[in-house]
Amino acid sequence: MNGNPLYHGIALAVGTLLVLPLALAVLNGWTPRGLRERRMAVRPYAWALLCLYAVMPLNAVPRMVDAPSGVVMACTGLGFGFVVVAAMCFLRAERASRRVNSRAKS
């Protein structure tokens, strides 16, 4: 069930290098070029990315240490909760950007 820990370690390292710096930079005030017109919605995007990042170690670490299947399934379920929270953050960001854009057009 757990597979080769090397593959989980590589996936966790790549995910950490790709997702975590962007989310932390946005939370510290940096805004990507594509989101500059959505100034109000940038922080919820960063929180959503952090929630999606939280899924990575929750799924990788128990498999890397060859945890029992109950622990792996519990961590996977907890990860699904983070995915739901990330979806809510994305929806909040979209709603906030629509509100800002509608005010700007008026």
Side-chain angles (χ1 to χ4, degrees):
M1 175 180 185
N2 291 337
N4 189 342
L6 178 65
Y7 297 136
H8 295 292
I10 291 170
L12 184 59
V14 169
T16 299
L17 291 174
L18 292 177
V19 176
L20 194 58
L22 176 64
L24 293 177
V26 169
L27 285 175
N28 284 324
W30 178 73
T31 305
R33 245 181 283 150
L35 295 176
R36 288 204 176 121
E37 66 272 0
R38 299 180 188 194
R39 195 62 143 149
M40 297 284 291
V42 173
R43 292 185 70 80
Y45 280 120
W47 284 112
L49 283 176
L50 283 178
C51 287
L52 292 177
Y53 172 74
V55 175
M56 294 176 198
L58 275 173
N59 281 323
V61 172
R63 288 175 169 85
M64 288 171 63
V65 298
D66 201 26
S69 62
V71 173
V72 172
M73 292 305 293
C75 289
T76 301
L78 186 59
F80 182 72
F82 277 106
V83 171
V84 170
V85 172
M88 291 189 311
C89 288
F90 281 128
L91 290 173
R92 181 174 174 235
E94 183 60 29
R95 192 172 353 120
S97 68
R98 283 186 185 182
R99 199 175 322 129
V100 168
N101 290 338
S102 67
R103 287 181 189 162
K105 290 179 183 177
S106 300

